[in-house]
Amino acid sequence: MKETLFMGKMTATATHEIKNVLAIIRESSGLMQDFLYMLKDETFEYKERFLKIISNIDDQVTRGDGISTLLNKFAHAPDQESTTENLPEVVDQMIALSVRLAKAKEVSFVNDSSAVTKLLTCDPLKTRMLLFQAMDTLMGHALSGEKVGVKVSSGEAGKALIEFHLEPDKSGERSSSALKVSEQWRELKATAYEMKYDAEFDPESGVMKLELNDKKSIGGYYEGI
């Protein structure tokens, strides 16, 4: 069994168990809420406080369940070496899973293509790795408060195009110049090249582009992937 398959299988199993734990917590808090509503004695001064606490518990259970669902989908990425996915949904997943890292850098990512459908036949794990490497590169050089818009569209000859638009921070500055000459950018280009993809960055416009080939449109698998 490959290491990635092993990690994915164990993670997927654990997320199922976490969802079961969250379901029990939700059910228990719901019962507590029902009991509080059944109280006839309005002299119980802590009733409203308890109801507020239960509401907070429910909100956090919903949040935890959403994260577990995302992690479970991510854990299944190594299941197949090639599959057809809707790329904007993959972008949504990676933005959601990276939100803590982005907040630590005071950077925000916004998927401008959530409502778009762009199917791509690719290696699901390697594509996610490339997306995260691009995001990590931007996070490593973005200024505090900088916003990154992500747009997915169709390129030439069945290719998919992912554009990261660096927008200036509140002071009007942009991190483009430093990124262009960074070691992280060179590493990202090398990763894209290894996957037979293209990566370009224009410091003037602040736009990074990843052009992804569709395996299905050219047939077979890329050598070396």
Side-chain angles (χ1 to χ4, degrees):
M1 181 182 289
K2 291 182 178 179
E3 290 87 346
T4 51
L5 286 174
F6 167 69
M7 291 294 292
K9 196 177 188 71
M10 292 296 97
T11 303
T13 300
T15 55
H16 278 298
E17 290 303 309
I18 291 171
K19 289 174 77 69
N20 288 336
V21 170
L22 292 171
I24 292 170
I25 295 173
R26 188 192 296 278
E27 182 178 350
S28 299
S29 67
L31 285 171
M32 290 174 63
Q33 186 178 57
D34 291 340
F35 288 144
L36 286 170
Y37 279 129
M38 289 169 61
L39 284 174
K40 302 295 185 181
D41 187 1
E42 295 300 329
T43 61
F44 181 53
E45 58 180 316
Y46 299 111
K47 179 177 179 179
E48 292 304 318
R49 291 186 183 181
F50 272 84
L51 288 172
K52 185 175 181 180
I53 292 170
I54 290 171
S55 177
N56 289 337
I57 291 173
D58 189 58
D59 289 343
Q60 291 304 311
V61 167
T62 299
R63 178 170 172 260
D65 187 67
I67 295 170
S68 297
T69 298
L70 283 169
L71 186 57
N72 185 265
K73 290 180 179 179
F74 180 80
H76 284 292
D79 290 352
Q80 301 179 69
E81 291 186 0
S82 179
T83 189
T84 300
E85 297 193 279
N86 184 25
L87 202 52
E89 290 182 358
V90 176
V91 171
D92 273 335
Q93 289 177 23
M94 296 312 300
I95 289 176
L97 288 171
S98 305
V99 67
R100 183 179 179 85
L101 296 173
K103 281 184 177 180
K105 297 287 187 178
E106 298 184 344
V107 180
S108 60
F109 289 87
V110 179
N111 187 359
D112 299 324
S113 308
S114 292
V116 175
T117 298
K118 174 56 185 173
L119 300 180
L120 182 75
T121 301
C122 59
D123 182 317
L125 183 60
K126 288 183 180 293
T127 299
R128 284 167 171 77
M129 288 174 61
L130 181 67
L131 273 171
F132 176 75
Q133 189 173 354
M135 293 170 63
D136 193 43
T137 299
L138 293 169
M139 284 188 283
H141 290 82
L143 301 170
S144 176
E146 201 161 15
K147 178 181 175 182
V148 182
V150 188
K151 180 181 178 182
V152 179
S153 59
S154 297
E156 298 179 357
K159 295 180 179 180
L161 185 64
I162 304 177
E163 295 179 302
F164 298 85
H165 297 261
L166 273 170
E167 299 181 11
D169 67 353
K170 295 178 182 178
S171 67
E173 296 182 359
R174 185 189 281 145
S175 58
S176 305
S177 299
L179 193 153
K180 183 66 176 178
V181 297
S182 72
E183 181 63 28
Q184 277 186 298
W185 170 242
R186 287 193 287 269
E187 291 175 357
L188 175 61
K189 282 183 69 70
T191 300
Y193 179 80
E194 183 181 348
M195 296 176 66
K196 302 296 190 281
Y197 292 162
D198 294 318
E200 297 296 335
F201 180 68
D202 179 10
E204 292 296 324
S205 63
V207 177
M208 176 193 289
K209 295 181 180 180
L210 297 178
E211 194 172 48
L212 286 62
N213 295 303
D214 191 294
K215 286 187 176 184
K216 191 175 181 179
S217 67
I218 64 173
Y221 296 98
Y222 296 130
E223 184 179 347
I225 292 182

